[in-house]
Each structure stands twice: as C-alpha cells, then as structure tokens.
Amino acid sequence: MILEIKPIFHALCRSKVGAILLLIQIAITTAIVSNAAFIIQDRVTYLNQETGYPEDEILAFHVMHFGKDVQSHQQFELDEAMLRALPGVKDAIYINNIPLSGSGSSSDFSINSAPEPGLSARTAYFFTDDHAINTLGIELVAGRNFTQDEIVVTNDNDQRANVTIVTQALLNELFPDEEGLGKTIFLGDIPLKVVGVIKHAKGPWLKDSRPNNIALIPYINPNISGNFLVRTASNERADIAKQIEDAMLKNYNKRVIIRIRGLDQDKAQYMAEDTLMMRMLIVLITILVLVTAVGIFGLTLFNISKRTKQIGTRRALGARKSSIINYFLVENALICIAGLVLGVIAALILGQLLMQHFSIAALPLGYVVATAVMVFIMSLLAVFGPAKRAANISPSIATRTI
C-alpha cells in the first residue's frame, strides 16, 4: 500500500538533507514559540494587573517653587483647597511620590523599633493627608481615615506623625497569625499606630519584591518642590488637565508646573520596556511560524518536482488522488513528529535556563503541548496545497521520457 510507513521512510532517506533541515526548523520553532508564548502571557497578566487605583480618573503633576516669599507647606495647603474647588474635581492631595511611576520612597517597616531585631517587610510609603483615600480611589476595609489632629503639616524635620494606614498585604506579612489593626509598627525608630487598612493598592514599583506593601503617613513637609494628585471624572480629566497650570500659577506665580499627565500614562511609561518586549516576541513567533510553514511548503513542492514520474506511475497503476494526498501528509507528519519530539525536549531545557538566569517562572507543560499541536496542525495545512497539486498529476506523465 502507498500509505505504508516503510516506503515513505525510504523515500525520506533518499532526500534526507531537506528532511533533516525541516526537522531542525520544527524543533527550533517549537522550543522558542512555547517559551515566548508563556512569556507573552506572563507579560499580559503583568501589564493588566489590578493596581487598586482608578487610573483613568487621576492626574499627576510636579511643582517647583523659585519664590522665597511663601512657606512651601502653607502654600501647598492653599493649592490643595484651590484644586478641590475646581468644577469637576472630586478631590486633590499633595503627596511626596506618585504611585505606579517607578520613582518613590521605601524602607523596612518592622514590628520592633530599630535597632532591635524583629520581623520586617519592605514597604513603599507616601506622605499625604486625610484626602488620600478618596483621591487615590482606594478602598478602606477596616479601621478609619486620618483625623485632622493627626496630620502633621510642618517645615520642622523633628516633628513626626504617629499613625499610618497600610495595605492588608503588609499586615498579613507583619502579623500573619493575628489582627494587625491597632498594632504599632516602626519606620526605623518612629512608632506608627495602624488606624486603617486598605484592601489593595500598588506602590511606585510594580516590579518590586513587595509591590502590594504600602503605607500612608499623615505628614506634609515639602521643600521647594512637591507632587500633586487630582481625581476627576474620567470623561472630564482632559479638560481639567488644561486648567491646572493656569489655576496653580494664579494661586502663586513664582513656580513652575511640570508634566501634567494621567496616572495611567505614568504606568504605561513605567511598563514601556515590557510592552515593547511583548510586541517583539509576538513578531518573533509570527516570523518563526511563517518561515516554518514556508519551509514545509517549499520542501513538499521540491519533493513533488523530483517525484513527478513516480506519482504519474502510481496514478497510472490506479492510485487514487486521496492516496497521493495522504502519502505526502503522512510523510510530512513523520518529519514533524520527529521535530516535535526534539522541540519539546529543547523547550523544557530552554525554560529551565530562562528560569535560572532571568527569574522567569517554570514553563508549564501545557504551553509546550499546545505549541506542539499548533505546529503539527500548521504543518499539515502547509503541505495540503502542494499534496493536492501532486494528486492532480496526470497518469500520462509516467509514459514521457526526459
């Protein structure tokens, strides 16, 4: 029978260079595509992670004073009141750092005062006031907001706040077996009583080892510069952004307003390298799959051109068109299966190397299997057109001389 594996295998051995090259190409494609697909999925999850903020409602900008005739902390309080009074503004705050921006302040928060040893956790912290919860759009799930008498507004570095609002993730790390609300934690040797708990919020660095550990501290002590966040309705944000610079300069004109932008824009800029990498991997996968498909297509055409008289003879001896098509499909399947076996092994080895050197999670076997199935189906589709052309070769070809 024409579908017997033995004659197909012998035919491949007679033109083994092309078959081996295609086998290697399929193996390389399987190894790279399975790992790239997993990395893409990992990046998509990272890029679409929930931050806890209504990013499309928040504006951020930086202010730098050059005037010497005002106290910065007093002027920033006036600015907050002015911004909150703008039509369409839900709330506004002064804050020392911008969430999701890639720039901020962090330290180890501990259950014991420094230098006494104790359980600690890396935490990003924000100096702000009682309007932070509303401006950031985060959810307070336990405890309360800051009271007015807890907010320290000063230009004296010796004054300190004594309360904080933290994320549930931080309390889970510092107090794994007990309720953290009401406990005292320490920033260095500064005691801070936990008066409120935030359900979920990210710090300035999404790639941080503890991105979910944040603390809000009611402490306003700006120098000549500072950051503001303004929350609006999402459909009014662009219009309000156009008003902010004029409003701030009207309030006090001896300063510069820098980079009025959305919080989502800060996040996108922080993630720009990851977005670029994901797009490059998508292009790489597309090129590899297309090159492999073209290679299979070309090898099949080459084999058909070499076996034209053989195919004509088989047709003259009564072989059906479907038998000719099946012959080339089985031939391609043998090459593809051998390549996939090598590719699966290579994919797992490559996954281990990426895990060791780039701290990427272990490659799930499901991605390798899915890639192998996709490559196998693609190879059958690539060979079907040339195989159908071969099936249409006339039996009279067998009687011609060359």
Side-chain angles (χ1 to χ4, degrees), residues 1-12 314 323 326-327 330-331 334:
M1 290 178 63
I2 197 169
L3 287 182
E4 289 180 356
I5 300 297
K6 191 173 182 180
I8 296 175
F9 181 75
H10 287 320
L12 287 175
R314 291 180 181 276
S323 297
N326 288 339
Y327 178 92
V330 172
E331 181 181 78
L334 289 175

Side-chain angles (χ1 to χ4, degrees), residues 261-322:
R261 74 281 184 191
L263 190 63
D264 51 349
Q265 294 171 304
D266 261 351
K267 178 186 172 184
Q269 183 176 352
Y270 178 78
M271 292 179 162
E273 290 184 4
D274 298 276
T275 303
L276 177 62
M277 181 184 73
M278 184 182 70
R279 290 173 178 170
M280 291 177 65
L281 287 174
I282 291 173
V283 171
L284 174 64
I285 286 176
T286 303
I287 291 173
L288 276 174
V289 171
L290 287 176
V291 168
T292 303
V294 169
I296 293 170
F297 184 88
L299 179 64
T300 306
L301 284 180
F302 177 72
N303 287 337
I304 290 170
S305 67
K306 286 180 62 179
R307 304 176 196 170
T308 301
K309 288 194 68 175
Q310 176 189 344
I311 296 169
T313 301
R314 291 180 181 276
R315 293 282 287 121
L317 293 173
R320 297 176 182 177
K321 288 185 178 182
S322 60

Side-chain angles (χ1 to χ4, degrees), residues 44-71:
V44 168
T45 302
Y46 168 73
L47 293 172
N48 294 323
Q49 66 183 290
E50 177 59 47
T51 62
Y53 309 110
E55 299 160 27
D56 61 343
E57 297 181 6
I58 299 176
L59 289 164
F61 61 94
H62 185 73
V63 179
M64 180 169 291
H65 286 187
F66 55 83
K68 306 293 185 182
D69 54 339
V70 296
Q71 293 287 333

Side-chain angles (χ1 to χ4, degrees), residues 336-369:
C336 189
I337 289 171
L340 290 176
V341 170
L342 292 178
V344 167
I345 296 171
L348 296 174
I349 293 173
L350 179 59
Q352 287 293 320
L353 292 174
L354 291 173
M355 183 174 65
Q356 292 173 9
H357 296 287
F358 297 100
S359 299
I360 295 174
L363 174 66
L365 187 59
Y367 280 86
V368 183
V369 173

Side-chain angles (χ1 to χ4, degrees), residues 1-172:
M1 290 178 63
I2 197 169
L3 287 182
E4 289 180 356
I5 300 297
K6 191 173 182 180
I8 296 175
F9 181 75
H10 287 320
L12 287 175
C13 289
R14 287 194 294 271
S15 56
K16 57 187 174 184
V17 174
I20 290 173
L21 289 176
L22 183 58
L23 182 152
I24 294 172
Q25 189 174 1
I26 289 171
I28 292 173
T29 299
T30 304
I32 294 178
V33 168
S34 57
N35 280 278
F38 173 60
I39 294 172
I40 289 172
Q41 178 57 43
D42 181 67
R43 292 299 88 188
V44 168
T45 302
Y46 168 73
L47 293 172
N48 294 323
Q49 66 183 290
E50 177 59 47
T51 62
Y53 309 110
E55 299 160 27
D56 61 343
E57 297 181 6
I58 299 176
L59 289 164
F61 61 94
H62 185 73
V63 179
M64 180 169 291
H65 286 187
F66 55 83
K68 306 293 185 182
D69 54 339
V70 296
Q71 293 287 333
S72 293
H73 66 281
Q74 295 174 347
Q75 183 59 51
F76 284 153
E77 281 196 284
L78 295 174
D79 293 331
E80 284 182 320
M82 179 273 297
L83 289 169
R84 291 164 190 159
L86 289 177
V89 172
K90 294 181 179 180
D91 215 334
I93 53 169
Y94 165 86
I95 194 167
N96 63 324
N97 295 303
I98 306 296
L100 314 181
S101 65
S103 176
S105 302
S106 69
S107 184
D108 283 342
F109 279 58
S110 176
I111 60 174
N112 293 324
S113 176
E116 184 181 345
L119 183 62
S120 64
R122 174 178 165 83
T123 304
Y125 57 89
F126 298 98
F127 293 146
T128 184
D129 59 26
D130 57 325
H131 289 262
I133 298 293
N134 189 43
T135 303
L136 292 169
I138 50 184
E139 183 181 354
L140 198 66
V141 293
R144 59 171 176 81
N145 200 354
F146 302 126
T147 60
Q148 279 296 318
D149 61 338
E150 290 171 336
I151 302 168
V152 177
V153 181
T154 182
N155 58 2
D156 181 358
N157 291 330
D158 292 329
Q159 286 189 267
R160 292 284 187 267
N162 57 14
V163 295
T164 184
I165 296 173
V166 303
T167 52
Q168 186 67 60
L170 175 58
L171 288 187
N172 290 344

Side-chain angles (χ1 to χ4, degrees), residues 225-238:
S225 65
N227 299 295
F228 284 86
L229 294 179
V230 177
R231 186 180 176 193
T232 72
S234 58
N235 60 343
E236 296 185 75
R237 192 177 73 170

